[in-house]
Amino acid sequence: MDITHLIDEAKNGLQDTFGLEATHIAAAPGRVNLIGEHIDYCDGFVLPFALEQNIIIAAKANGTSTVRIASSQGSDPVEIDVSGEIPEAEPKWANYPRGVMQYFREQTSCTLPGFDAYITSNVPSGGGLSSSAAFELATATLLEGLTGIKLDTKTKALLCQKAEHNYAHCPCGIMDQFASAFGEKDRLVMIDCQSGEPTLVPFENPDLTVIVANTCVAHELSDGGYASRRKATEDGLQTIGKSSWRQVSMADVDAAKEQMGDVVYQRSRHVVGEIQRTMGAAKALEANDFDTLGSLMYASHASLRDDFEVSCEELDIMVEIAQSLGKDGGVIGSRMTGGGFGGSTVTLCESSKANSIVAALTNQYTERTGITPEIFLSRPSQGARLL
Ligand code: ADP
Ligand code: MG
């Protein structure tokens, strides 16, 4: 569904559910990451961009201290008392706005206004494209509109990350919220996760296209796989005895191998390798060196599969199919994107062959898994904003 329809659906939802005409509409995109996976919480570099797919919230203040939210994907409207502390509660999906409202108030010391809101989305949920960050940023941006208090973008992204940590129990790094907040048309958001600074990198070459392929195997990032990976990287760094992964070389990791044990060693090898690959990929992209860029994407996938162990059979199959189409088929590189355990792959390809690649991915993936994937082309787009 394109964005105009999505906005109409949100306005109509507000009208049908609450009988209200929207006064504020916020949009925030999901993201896809070209390279740099599971290192945003390791002081690494990551290279995501904001998708054209968004979460939209249409809303109107209601003059009370109750927020009522309905989602086209939820069930009944959820009521949230915003006069005091906002605790976690059921249903779980409403914890994203609960957390953001709590931290928005803490950040700004404002009195939260009651409002009624309706949410629509074309960011697949649980598809590794960060619908959760989109939901958080859309909520925070809506609150800016309703209160008239404009946060600086970094502050806004960080309060959304805090909501993800404490209300969704996913100890994520800063990539997802930064990509959704800072994204711009035709720009990648290169994030130095040590300094916490994003740099916009041009991505304008019309000959390049990004294919996002959702395996339609949903992940559950709060069930421990993500947290245990993060913990292993913390243990690895401690064993090596440095204060940041940015000071660690592969030789340091190898030297600490015995002390770490196999699992922490593998996780550490991924971190150091992925930081190097991401820096290499940024250079290769700037130099239009697509052979190098593609090799780095495949190497990233192999490392996530074998060393970090966050891939799954379906992600591996999707990448294998892309890789088998090869350069002749117009594929530059492919890898899993996002937290893993399901979700999506990202494939960089020649624009002229994008449609035939999509067809091949769709057919062969369906044949091999029995699952119909959701595959689309994407270009870097605008981050969170009021419409
Ligand atoms: P991802 O961020 O990769 O999409 P997460 O598991 O982090 O996956 O976030 C998905 C969760 O976000 C869903 O389970 C749901 O709680 C919430 N969510 C996403 N989109 C919507 C929506 N349109 N309406 C209500 N909740 C949503
Ligand atoms: Mg998420």
Side-chain angles (χ1 to χ4, degrees), residues 34-35 293-301 333-335 346-348:
L34 274 190
I35 192 162
L293 184 56
S295 309
L296 290 167
M297 289 178 77
Y298 291 126
S300 167
H301 185 77
S334 185
R335 53 182 289 281
V346 57
T347 301
L348 190 63

Side-chain angles (χ1 to χ4, degrees), residues 55 71 73 93 96 121 124-132 135 164 219:
I55 286 194
S71 165
Q73 291 174 23
W93 67 265
Y96 296 96
S121 171
S125 171
L129 303 174
S130 217
S131 67
S132 57
F135 198 179
E164 177 104 24
H219 63 180

Side-chain angles (χ1 to χ4, degrees), residues 51-133:
L51 290 168
E52 291 155 274
Q53 281 69 24
N54 284 267
I55 286 194
I56 307 282
I57 311 183
K60 185 177 184 194
N62 61 23
T64 73
S65 56
T66 299
V67 168
R68 297 188 296 174
I69 307 183
S71 165
S72 60
Q73 291 174 23
S75 42
D76 295 333
V78 176
E79 290 203 2
I80 304 169
D81 176 4
V82 296
S83 61
E85 293 286 304
I86 304 170
E88 264 180 71
E90 294 290 330
K92 286 206 166 39
W93 67 265
N95 283 330
Y96 296 96
R98 285 189 190 100
V100 171
M101 290 191 291
Q102 172 72 26
Y103 295 133
F104 189 94
R105 180 176 47 213
E106 280 182 14
Q107 183 67 43
T108 63
S109 307
C110 73
T111 302
L112 287 175
F115 60 88
D116 296 328
Y118 193 89
I119 297 151
T120 58
S121 171
N122 58 359
V123 187
S125 171
L129 303 174
S130 217
S131 67
S132 57

Side-chain angles (χ1 to χ4, degrees), residues 35-47 174-175 190-197 244-246 271-272 274-276 278-279:
I35 192 162
E37 215 65 75
H38 277 279
I39 52 171
D40 59 339
Y41 51 79
C42 296
D43 285 350
F45 288 100
V46 296
L47 206 52
I174 57 174
M175 173 170 73
M190 172 97 177
I191 309 165
D192 176 338
C193 302
Q194 185 176 39
S195 68
E197 288 308 321
S244 167
W245 279 109
R246 286 276 273 284
V271 171
V272 173
E274 189 75 356
I275 291 175
Q276 290 168 357
T278 306
M279 295 192 317

